[in-house]
Amino acid sequence: MTASSGDASVPDWVSTRALGRAVLLTGLFLVAGALLGRIDLVVLAAPFALGTAYALRRRPARPPEIGIGADDTNLVEGGALVAGISVGNRDDVGYDLVLVRTVVSSWLRIGEVRFAPGGAGSDGSDGPAPAGRRDATDRPYGFGVPAGTIADLELHGGTLRWGRHSLGPAAVRAIACDGLLASQTVLSDARPVPVYPVTEPFDADEAMPRAAGLVGGHRSRRPGEGGELAGVRIFGPGDRLRRIDWRVSLRARQLHVAAMLSDRDAEVVLLLDVLAEAGRSGGIRGSASVLDTCVRAAAAIAEHYLHRGDRVSLLEYGPSARRLRPATGRRQYLTLLEWLLDVRVEQSPHEPYDQVFGPQLLSSNALVVVLTPLVDARSAAMLARLARSGRFVVAVDTLPPSAVPPKRGQWTEVAHRLWRLDRDTTIGQLREHGVPVVTWAGAGSLDLVLRDVARLASAPRPALR
């Protein structure tokens, strides 16, 4: 439990207006009784003086402590969020009232606030606080904290969008001595809450273009020792006897063997275009922006190929050019999700460094899946360069259909239609260069495209003289 109360020279406890009024009334009655010689005024001042002295007989010496905790293990978009604010009293004097207020990210919806059994609500009873939607954390909550105890305030809600969000900082102020003393406002540190993108269902049953590994779960189009039948051919040196097809051999009166397709792993490179953003993000239950579609699609594609034992790497096409090395397994998937939480749109007038897409990062046998909205002209030029370099490139269009510019005049709609026509022309030119462009639509989005790419990879190429 961490807390900070500001400058050390400032006292932890200060007098309230109630204490000022009690001292003022006592003084006025005593002075008036002495000047006018009236004993009844002195008698009226006695309750104020005795009550103040009795309330201040035991004064707190330590300020309250506050801390924020959250169950941030494997939080995804649309999931339940459980957090808590703990207020501790290490003093020998109980707090009559503590007021707690916290700051919550706009993508974390707190719908219900409950008081733990250790603290009493502001109405003097234990139990849940009134539930609400937006006002659950917009107002302070008050409850009492006895001496030497810790009271908990439970926050129940949900997550609306992926990313690194924050819960807090939280502020607390305590009232003691029957409301005559108040502590300084104590602040706690903000608690980071990582929310992972929801994985959209994705499946690709087609073969990969090429496989650089020796073993794996993909049915490749290369002959080898796999489980998929490629055909029957004449027996040759090096063929195993168990592969002999005796029916065909007896019919042709010559030994024939069954040719199999090898099962190999593939390397998938997910290239995220972060040069431009379009659309407005409405969270998991609202509309999706370009960045939302890009991150969720990358998580779905990576989960699919990692589950099949392939190697997956990530790259950013932007000024920072962040990179995640290729690897496989569940550990790579968790690292990938953490990597995706830091994806941000970075606009820059300069061309991203070309050396980040060199042969040391992009293997010639890898399948490059580019997630791009095709808004910036540099993105189309990058796709054309990758295609001319001989790599297998698939472009996934992440521009949402609802992404329209705000109306600023009578020509806004006409200009947007012209821009759409120019963008369609760019997509057609990319397809002529051999770059298939497909709109992301969840499961089965890349099946037809991967089938065509795999056929092109297995087709014979003309010899270069």
Side-chain angles (χ1 to χ4, degrees), residues 362-424:
L362 294 182
S363 174
S364 59
N365 294 322
L367 172 64
V368 183
V369 181
V370 183
L371 303 169
T372 173
L374 290 175
V375 174
D376 199 307
R378 293 171 293 181
S379 303
M382 177 265 297
L383 288 171
R385 288 196 302 269
L386 289 177
R388 286 196 299 265
S389 64
R391 292 179 174 85
F392 305 101
V393 184
V394 176
V396 178
D397 186 6
T398 58
L399 184 66
S402 59
V404 294
K407 190 174 182 180
R408 300 178 180 177
Q410 58 180 349
W411 302 106
T412 302
E413 184 177 354
V414 177
H416 179 64
R417 292 173 59 186
L418 291 176
W419 178 82
R420 281 280 185 177
L421 291 175
D422 182 71
R423 184 173 180 272
D424 294 340

Side-chain angles (χ1 to χ4, degrees), residues 163-180:
R164 298 189 185 275
H165 309 302
S166 62
L167 183 62
V172 62
R173 192 176 186 185
I175 307 297
C177 298
D178 295 335
L180 300 182

Side-chain angles (χ1 to χ4, degrees), residues 105-335:
S105 173
S106 59
W107 297 115
L108 300 178
R109 179 65 58 83
I110 303 299
E112 186 178 2
V113 180
R114 300 176 183 177
F115 294 101
S122 58
D123 56 352
S125 61
D126 297 340
R133 290 186 62 84
R134 292 297 297 173
D135 60 343
T137 54
D138 289 345
R139 62 184 180 88
Y141 284 87
F143 48 93
V145 181
T149 60
I150 297 177
D152 296 326
L153 189 66
E154 297 181 357
L155 308 178
H156 297 264
T159 58
L160 301 182
R161 188 175 183 264
W162 60 273
R164 298 189 185 275
H165 309 302
S166 62
L167 183 62
V172 62
R173 192 176 186 185
I175 307 297
C177 298
D178 295 335
L180 300 182
L181 295 179
S183 68
Q184 296 289 341
T185 302
V186 181
L187 298 176
S188 69
D189 297 332
R191 174 67 181 266
V193 180
V195 180
Y196 300 108
V198 62
T199 303
E200 299 183 8
F202 172 76
D203 191 13
D205 298 328
E206 290 298 326
M208 299 297 294
R210 287 182 182 174
L214 298 178
V215 294
H218 274 289
R219 181 194 63 196
S220 70
R221 297 186 181 272
R222 293 185 177 185
E225 296 296 328
E228 188 72 16
L229 179 65
V232 180
R233 58 178 175 82
I234 299 177
F235 182 86
D239 291 334
R240 298 185 179 183
L241 296 179
R242 63 185 182 91
R243 294 292 186 185
I244 296 178
D245 193 330
W246 293 107
R247 292 183 179 181
V248 178
S249 300
L250 293 175
R251 186 168 55 250
R253 296 185 178 183
Q254 189 177 4
L255 288 178
H256 284 70
V257 294
M260 313 301 292
L261 294 177
S262 62
D263 295 332
R264 303 189 177 189
D265 67 342
E267 181 178 348
V268 181
V269 179
L270 301 179
L271 183 58
L272 282 65
D273 183 2
V274 295
L275 292 178
E277 170 72 311
R280 177 173 296 181
S281 177
I284 188 62
R285 300 179 182 88
S287 59
S289 64
V290 168
L291 205 60
D292 291 340
T293 305
C294 183
V295 170
R296 292 166 185 167
I301 296 174
E303 182 186 21
H304 168 73
Y305 285 112
L306 288 174
H307 181 70
R308 302 186 68 168
D310 299 324
R311 289 168 286 118
V312 178
S313 62
L314 279 85
L315 283 174
E316 274 189 1
Y317 184 67
S320 62
R322 294 193 308 131
R323 172 181 178 263
L324 180 65
R325 62 176 181 81
T328 185
R330 178 166 179 80
R331 181 177 180 181
Q332 174 71 358
Y333 179 64
L334 298 178
T335 307

